[in-house]
């Protein structure tokens, strides 16, 4: 029984870990939208990268609330 409980706990832990996936970041600034891909990141890391600086219409803007991250 003890081994079974340990096995279930280990399986649950592996199931709850964040998987690295591919994401799309879409940013809108002054009516123009640009998208770019973020590959092999966790959701938290992709959102952090998406909230960094982005180039929209040739202008580098500090993004933030005008950007969204979605899974590809």
């Amino acid at each position: 029984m003890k081994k079974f409980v340990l096995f279930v706990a280990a399986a649950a832990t592996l199931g709850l870990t964040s998987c690295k996936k591919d994401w799309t970041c879409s940013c809108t600034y002054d009516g123009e939208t640009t998208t770019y891909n973020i590959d092999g990141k966790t959701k938290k890391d992709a959102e952090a990268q998406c909230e960094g600086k982005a180039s929209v219409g040739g202008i580098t803007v500090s993004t933030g609330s005008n950007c969204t991250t979605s899974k590809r």
Side-chain angles (χ1 to χ4, degrees):
M1 183 68 176
K2 214 179 213 186
K3 288 182 183 181
F4 177 75
V5 172
L6 288 174
F7 175 77
V8 171
T13 301
L14 289 175
L16 294 176
T17 58
S18 297
C19 296
K20 294 184 177 182
K21 298 178 182 161
D22 296 333
W23 303 90
T24 300
C25 177
S26 299
C27 297
T28 303
Y29 178 76
D30 199 25
E32 292 186 49
T33 301
T34 188
T35 61
Y36 63 95
N37 297 326
I38 302 171
D39 297 327
K41 301 281 185 179
T42 62
K43 182 177 182 179
K44 181 179 177 181
D45 291 342
E47 287 174 343
Q49 184 173 336
C50 187
E51 290 174 2
K53 293 189 181 283
S55 178
V56 179
I59 300 169
T60 300
V61 296
S62 179
T63 57
S65 62
N66 59 345
C67 290
T68 58
T69 307
S70 59
K71 188 168 52 170
R72 277 194 288 153

